[in-house]
Amino acid sequence: MESFSESYKAAGVDITAGYKSVELMKKHVARTNIPGVVSGIGGFGGLFAPDFKGMEEPVLISGTDGVGTKIKLAFLLDKHNTIGIDSVAMCVNDVICCGAKPLFFLDYIAIGKNIPEKVASIVEGIAEGCVQSGCALIGGETAEHPGLMPVDEYDVAGFCVGIADKPKMIDGSKLRAGDVLLGLRSSGVHSNGFSLVRKIFDINEETINNTYPELDAPLGETLLTPTKIYVKPILALMNEVEVKAVSHITGGGFYENIPRMLTEGLSAKVNKEAIPVLPIFKLMQRVGNISEHDMFNTFNMGVGMVVAVSKDEAEKALEVLKANGEDAVVLGEVIEGSEGVVFA
């Protein structure tokens, strides 16, 4: 007998729409298949068989996050196939800070009304994020929530699991004063600080299409630019040089995130002139009359990831990153002290 509940549909949940969503998303999920995937989507659990060959002491490292209020821009622009990239990026960029290679990802989509084409579009972005980070999308959940959220809105979250060999993990223990800090450029605001962003520009159906001389695209398109995924460049860098510490610059900006990569007795000296500040940040500071401190304490300012290497390997690290698509900059150095971040 076909699965269908007229009573459930009358209450606002159409289970047949859920089945259609799964069918539509399968082609996107298939793009993420990598060695280790045991089962396809649709079961009660996602199965993955990790390969521990060549590892002395394998460690699983997990990360979870959502997209935050950036998702409201996707609603206003009716563009849903990139927000999933952000969902993946916020997780995989965290686990790579430990030197972990992402293995698999699971998503959770809560939606006011399940419109299969919209759900498939969201999953298209999630799959693209998985492809960019080299991990598999092995499962997820789409939950229709009538009465809890408007029919045209949704929220996306997810988590990933990665693997690292414990002796090769990045934990900052080898950091020393004099080590060089490299900055990997961001693609934009990424997925942090959007409550402030929306307040600065009074984001609504009209203002989201505003244009500014500083920007190459309308405001909404600029702000919706997906978070850059740094997994493959960092993994390539780890194969060539000793990466001592890594920090993902998310909410809290420089002041909160850089100290997380430092060990006791060490601080970061950052050359402010070396920061490749993107036009969107200069525009936000001007329009919102935001202090410089608050900008650096909220946004990535053009640097999505900070990597610490020894001074002797800094040039090689820059070359490896460039060969892997990252035009990194020398941001500063590790110094003795307990100030956290010091701008020069």
Side-chain angles (χ1 to χ4, degrees):
M1 179 181 293
E2 182 180 344
S3 175
F4 177 76
S5 170
E6 190 67 51
S7 299
Y8 208 6
K9 185 175 181 179
V13 177
D14 185 356
I15 57 177
T16 59
Y19 303 147
K20 184 178 179 183
S21 296
V22 172
E23 287 304 310
L24 291 176
M25 69 176 69
K26 279 184 177 179
K27 64 180 180 181
H28 302 303
V29 176
R31 295 180 59 217
T32 75
N33 279 347
I34 61 173
V37 175
V38 176
S39 65
I41 60 171
F44 287 99
L47 308 182
F48 192 92
D51 183 3
F52 297 143
K53 293 187 185 74
M55 291 191 174
E56 293 180 38
E57 194 175 348
V59 177
L60 296 178
I61 299 170
S62 60
T64 185
D65 209 341
V67 180
T69 61
K70 179 178 185 176
I71 213 160
K72 281 188 167 289
L73 278 71
F75 303 158
L76 289 170
L77 292 172
D78 194 24
K79 180 175 173 58
H80 311 287
N81 66 344
T82 64
I83 207 74
I85 300 175
D86 293 285
S87 177
V88 175
M90 298 308 293
C91 298
V92 297
N93 284 346
D94 276 356
V95 302
I96 196 64
C97 291
C98 301
K101 180 186 186 303
L103 295 176
F104 57 84
F105 186 87
L106 282 86
D107 66 76
Y108 179 81
I109 303 169
I111 193 163
K113 180 176 176 57
N114 189 336
I115 301 171
E117 292 76 14
K118 180 184 283 189
V119 171
S121 185
I122 298 167
V123 174
E124 178 186 351
I126 294 169
E128 174 60 25
C130 289
V131 169
Q132 290 183 24
S133 55
C135 70
L137 177 58
I138 64 170
E141 172 71 9
T142 301
E144 199 168 14
H145 286 169
L148 184 61
M149 56 178 62
V151 295
D152 57 346
E153 293 190 2
Y154 58 86
D155 196 13
V156 181
F159 82 92
C160 70
V161 173
I163 191 168
D165 196 0
K166 192 172 182 180
K168 299 177 182 178
M169 282 179 58
I170 301 172
D171 59 8
S173 61
K174 297 180 180 179
L175 271 178
R176 300 292 182 268
D179 288 340
V180 174
L181 299 173
L182 305 179
L184 279 63
R185 298 170 190 264
S186 69
S187 57
V189 185
H190 284 183
S191 300
N192 307 103
F194 271 86
S195 293
L196 178 55
V197 172
R198 291 186 299 109
K199 180 180 179 183
I200 290 172
F201 294 111
D202 187 23
I203 296 289
N204 56 47
E205 291 180 355
E206 295 180 1
T207 59
I208 198 167
N209 293 310
N210 284 351
T211 58
Y212 294 88
E214 296 95 328
L215 305 180
D216 295 329
L219 179 63
E221 185 180 336
T222 300
L223 292 173
L224 199 60
T225 301
T227 304
K228 185 184 281 190
I229 291 176
Y230 299 95
V231 171
K232 292 180 180 178
I234 296 295
L235 288 175
L237 185 63
M238 289 174 62
N239 285 332
E240 298 289 335
V241 304
E242 182 179 52
V243 177
K244 296 190 175 186
V246 182
S247 178
H248 183 200
I249 309 302
T250 56
F254 280 53
Y255 285 111
E256 180 180 319
N257 290 289
I258 292 180
R260 295 169 66 181
M261 71 189 285
L262 303 171
T263 48
E264 189 174 353
L266 295 176
S267 294
K269 182 180 179 181
V270 176
N271 178 8
K272 197 175 292 183
E273 296 300 316
I275 299 169
V277 179
L278 292 170
I280 184 62
F281 295 112
K282 296 177 181 179
L283 178 63
M284 285 195 294
Q285 186 172 6
R286 176 175 63 81
V287 172
N289 192 27
I290 308 298
S291 71
E292 184 177 71
H293 176 275
D294 285 357
M295 290 296 295
F296 278 96
N297 210 161
T298 309
F299 303 110
N300 67 62
M301 301 302 287
V303 176
M305 192 78 78
V306 176
V307 176
V309 298
S310 70
K311 188 174 183 179
D312 292 342
E313 292 195 297
E315 278 302 320
K316 183 177 181 181
L318 289 169
E319 292 171 5
V320 172
L321 288 168
K322 188 158 191 172
N324 286 274
E326 292 295 331
D327 185 18
V329 300
V330 176
L331 276 184
E333 63 177 333
V334 177
I335 61 173
E336 294 181 355
S338 56
E339 296 90 348
V341 177
V342 178
F343 285 101

